Amino acid sequence: DLNDTKFVKVNRDGKIVKSFKLGSTTDDYEFVDMAELNGKLYISATARPINSALYRNNLEELSEITMLKLMREEFTSVLLVCDFESGRPKEFYSAKGSYAGNLSVSNRELKWSVNSIITAHYSPNRNAYSFWGENRTKTYTFDKKGGLLYETKSNISDIYSIH
């Protein structure tokens, strides 16, 4: 739950020098990765509504088309651009119908991977609320100032599993 999430800044000696919380009353966030570039903290996360329609339905009765529609409506990748010192979000980017991937920094550019949901299935044999399907990765590349440079789409699909 995002309301219980606390981030800490640790110095080289392992001492906490700063801490901050992020909060939301409407979405539940799964934090995936963090990176720093040019004095900004970037946080990659997947947002889902706390009162999710997916979990209010009898999942075994949903068609795959309905399941896919609900997952695309409810899963959103979010890239939070935060002040490095305070941790306060200053801006954000989002990609609906996807779940967040990793961040990487090279050549003074930030790359954010986003996994677009292209098929969705429910597996009652695994455990409660286990979803799987196919995704296709998109990579968004940002310049050192945080401006979006370009998007790269992969032609390769992969299998995902969400619990």
Side-chain angles (χ1 to χ4, degrees), residues 7-9 20 31-45 78-85 87-88 91 101-106 108-113 140 142-144 146:
F7 291 89
V8 295
K9 186 176 180 181
F20 62 93
F31 295 99
V32 178
D33 204 358
M34 293 189 302
E36 186 270 332
L37 178 63
N38 203 32
K40 295 179 183 176
L41 176 65
Y42 293 84
I43 302 173
S44 176
V78 178
L79 179 63
L80 300 170
V81 184
C82 304
D83 178 79
F84 191 74
E85 291 301 318
R88 287 193 178 94
E91 58 186 302
N102 295 329
L103 296 168
S104 64
V105 176
S106 66
R108 309 270 307 144
E109 293 178 346
L110 177 86
K111 294 188 183 298
W112 178 41
S113 295
Y140 296 93
F142 298 85
D143 64 21
K144 67 180 182 180

Side-chain angles (χ1 to χ4, degrees), residues 134-146:
E134 238 181 314
N135 70 280
R136 188 159 289 127
T137 302
K138 293 180 183 178
T139 302
Y140 296 93
T141 302
F142 298 85
D143 64 21
K144 67 180 182 180
K145 293 183 180 180

Side-chain angles (χ1 to χ4, degrees), residues 8-156:
V8 295
K9 186 176 180 181
V10 180
N11 69 13
R12 292 178 191 252
D13 298 326
K15 294 184 179 169
I16 296 174
V17 294
K18 189 88 171 171
S19 67
F20 62 93
K21 286 186 176 186
L22 295 174
S24 174
T25 57
T26 58
D27 291 313
D28 187 24
Y29 286 78
E30 177 185 343
F31 295 99
V32 178
D33 204 358
M34 293 189 302
E36 186 270 332
L37 178 63
N38 203 32
K40 295 179 183 176
L41 176 65
Y42 293 84
I43 302 173
S44 176
T46 302
R48 292 189 283 192
I50 290 172
N51 190 16
S52 172
L54 269 174
Y55 305 124
R56 291 193 314 263
N57 283 289
N58 181 347
L59 297 172
E60 293 178 24
E61 294 179 3
L62 294 179
S63 71
E64 289 181 7
I65 293 170
T66 303
M67 177 80 63
L68 178 61
K69 181 180 177 219
L70 284 171
M71 288 189 71
R72 283 182 173 167
E73 286 175 3
E74 295 198 356
F75 283 74
T76 302
S77 296
V78 178
L79 179 63
L80 300 170
V81 184
C82 304
D83 178 79
F84 191 74
E85 291 301 318
S86 71
R88 287 193 178 94
K90 299 293 184 183
E91 58 186 302
F92 74 95
Y93 297 90
S94 65
K96 198 147 184 74
S98 65
Y99 60 95
N102 295 329
L103 296 168
S104 64
V105 176
S106 66
N107 299 324
R108 309 270 307 144
E109 293 178 346
L110 177 86
K111 294 188 183 298
W112 178 41
S113 295
V114 170
N115 304 294
S116 297
I117 299 168
I118 54 177
T119 67
H121 312 278
Y122 168 67
S123 181
N125 297 328
R126 293 177 125 185
N127 56 28
Y129 310 124
S130 183
F131 305 98
W132 65 277
E134 238 181 314
N135 70 280
R136 188 159 289 127
T137 302
K138 293 180 183 178
T139 302
Y140 296 93
T141 302
F142 298 85
D143 64 21
K144 67 180 182 180
K145 293 183 180 180
L148 180 62
L149 292 173
Y150 54 89
E151 169 190 335
T152 307
K153 296 179 185 179
S154 170
N155 291 326
I156 301 170

